[in-house]
Amino acid sequence: MTLRLLVNGEDRVSRSDAMTPLIDVLRDEFHLTGAKPVCREGFCGACTVLLDDEPVMSCLLPCGLTRGRAIRTVEDLSSGGMLSDLQTAMVDHDAVQCGMCFPGMLMTLTSVLSRHPAPSRDDIRAALSGNLCRCTGYERIVDAALSLSSAAVAR
Ligand code: FES
Ligand code: FES
């Protein structure tokens, strides 16, 4: 069986069964290894990718359910070797430690900031409730995201 998927703006063909978790198709077939299979049970968010700009846990999502929808992974955030503004803000705020949670964090925050250009600190915290980090204590991550809020820029 073949399955056509739209990944980071490109048509890709998968030979996986439709029930294969999307993360396995991304990593094993397409070699997009940014999303991390940490818990594989829907608890940690390290596997988060965007599906039609909404964060989804790719460890729980059968790839067959993504037909005709736009999948975006962390590999798509940088362009021409340049980090996205969000990635740059994370570096500038010294927000990254081991990095295991970061692909998921970045995709969730990319979605929040695209849908809601002026999120509050509480909005960002709420959006990250499904993304667990064992290292950072979250504050620098939230500070970095908040630095891109148009409300913060206007202050
Ligand atoms: S690996 Fe998907 S939620 Fe943890
Ligand atoms: S930076 Fe290590 S788990 Fe988040």
Side-chain angles (χ1 to χ4, degrees):
M1 189 193 101
T2 61
L3 182 66
R4 302 187 82 83
L5 301 178
L6 180 62
V7 183
N8 296 338
E10 289 181 28
D11 280 320
R12 308 290 299 256
V13 176
S14 167
R15 299 197 181 282
S16 295
D17 179 88
M19 290 305 292
T20 302
L22 177 62
I23 193 167
D24 293 332
V25 175
L26 294 172
R27 291 176 60 88
D28 299 342
E29 282 195 81
F30 301 159
H31 308 297
L32 295 169
T33 56
K36 298 290 182 274
V38 174
C39 72
R40 286 189 173 271
E41 292 186 347
F43 293 125
C44 74
C47 62
T48 302
V49 301
L50 301 187
L51 190 65
D52 292 339
D53 296 324
E54 293 289 336
V56 294
M57 293 184 188
S58 61
C59 69
L60 297 182
L61 184 65
C63 62
L65 295 182
T66 67
R67 275 193 193 97
R69 304 179 70 184
I71 299 161
R72 192 172 183 209
T73 71
V74 72
E75 286 85 355
D76 196 46
L77 294 188
S78 60
S79 171
M82 300 290 290
L83 298 179
S84 69
D85 290 347
L86 179 61
Q87 289 170 310
T88 300
M90 293 296 163
V91 174
D92 290 346
H93 284 77
D94 201 13
V96 189
Q97 290 191 26
C98 82
M100 189 61 86
C101 67
F102 255 76
M105 290 276 182
L106 289 168
M107 298 319 285
T108 298
L109 290 169
T110 295
S111 175
V112 173
L113 290 164
S114 70
R115 285 181 289 118
H116 191 337
S120 66
R121 179 171 286 272
D122 285 347
D123 292 333
I124 293 169
R125 282 190 175 138
L128 289 178
S129 61
N131 292 87
L132 303 186
C133 177
R134 297 197 306 180
C135 305
T136 67
Y138 298 92
E139 285 308 301
R140 291 183 186 187
I141 297 171
V142 174
D143 287 346
L146 199 56
S147 74
L148 300 179
S149 160
S150 55
V153 170
R155 270 204 290 273

